[in-house]
Amino acid sequence: MEHRTRWLITAALAVVPLACTADEPADDAADTAPEPAAAEAPAPAPTTEGPYAGWQVRTDGNVPPEGVTVTAIDGGWEIDNGPAVVLWNEARTAEGSYTLTATFEQLDSKGMVHGTGLVFGGSDLDGPDQAYTYFMVRGDGDYLVKTRAGESTAWVLPSGAWTGHDSIQVDDADGRYTNELSVEVGDSETVFRVNGAEVHRAATADLPTDGLFGVRLNHNLTIRVTDLAVDGGM
């Protein structure tokens, strides 16, 4: 019997600096090459206690977390970050066939064009064998789909680069946009959508899809994330 579950994440987070762990690319350009070996880093925040209410964060390149804050809002949270980050919750997982969605509203681009979006199929996210798939958009109308295994990343897109699509809302004059991202994981194919339009599909067997899900922000952004939810997958 198939059980369909929809989780709406409304984490009760205060405005706090976040703990960091090890390595990821320092910026969008670094997504084209493997990252350097990580330096030793502090352990992430506990998953069941402390000020993070179950959320964990990993910064890119073992960078100190100064300037990274999270504020609880109705239906989600706002994140202001200097270094790039991945956020997840050990209790939030999906496997099998499911649909993962979230709305990303960029409040401030800080004069840069950097990506933000979904992470799914995650495992060992606080360790050296981290693995996940990530799907991001940015304010110039481009998107990417990549996978990570340890210190290496691989493009899922045949282009091997950020790719434009008309469905992606771009930065306005104030550096703001709103885009809804969704990932539909099926038995044979996984479909990636922005604002309801398909932008890419890939063989599910080629991607990490079972495991933790969350969000990723490349550096120097202020993002409001709402309605992060998964339908199915249990």
Side-chain angles (χ1 to χ4, degrees), residues 91-185:
R92 308 297 183 179
T93 63
E95 60 183 48
S97 296
Y98 61 88
T99 300
L100 175 64
T101 59
T103 298
F104 295 85
E105 181 182 357
Q106 181 172 276
L107 304 180
D108 189 353
S109 68
K110 302 179 184 177
M112 306 295 290
V113 180
H114 290 152
T116 185
L118 295 167
V119 168
F120 62 100
S123 61
D124 195 37
L125 294 186
D126 58 351
D129 297 322
Q130 61 175 328
Y132 56 83
T133 304
Y134 53 117
F135 172 38
M136 299 196 296
V137 297
R138 63 187 188 186
D140 61 355
D142 286 354
Y143 74 98
L144 70 70
V145 183
K146 296 187 74 176
T147 60
R148 173 176 292 281
E151 297 177 2
S152 299
T153 64
W155 288 93
V156 176
L157 299 179
S159 64
W162 286 88
T163 301
H165 197 278
D166 290 343
S167 67
I168 301 170
Q169 297 298 306
V170 300
D171 287 354
D172 65 15
D174 297 319
R176 300 173 68 111
Y177 67 67
T178 300
N179 286 293
E180 181 188 77
L181 276 63
S182 68
V183 177
E184 300 170 11
V185 179

Side-chain angles (χ1 to χ4, degrees), residues 95-100 120 183-192 201-207 209-210:
E95 60 183 48
S97 296
Y98 61 88
T99 300
L100 175 64
F120 62 100
V183 177
E184 300 170 11
V185 179
D187 291 340
S188 61
E189 290 188 305
T190 295
V191 180
F192 300 86
R201 66 174 57 210
T204 299
D206 293 339
L207 310 172
T209 58
D210 288 349

Side-chain angles (χ1 to χ4, degrees), residues 3 27 60 212 218-219:
H3 298 280
D27 55 30
D60 284 9
L212 298 159
N218 283 354
H219 64 282

Side-chain angles (χ1 to χ4, degrees), residues 17-33:
L18 297 173
C20 70
T21 58
D23 54 326
E24 292 201 14
D27 55 30
D28 294 353
D31 272 325
T32 62

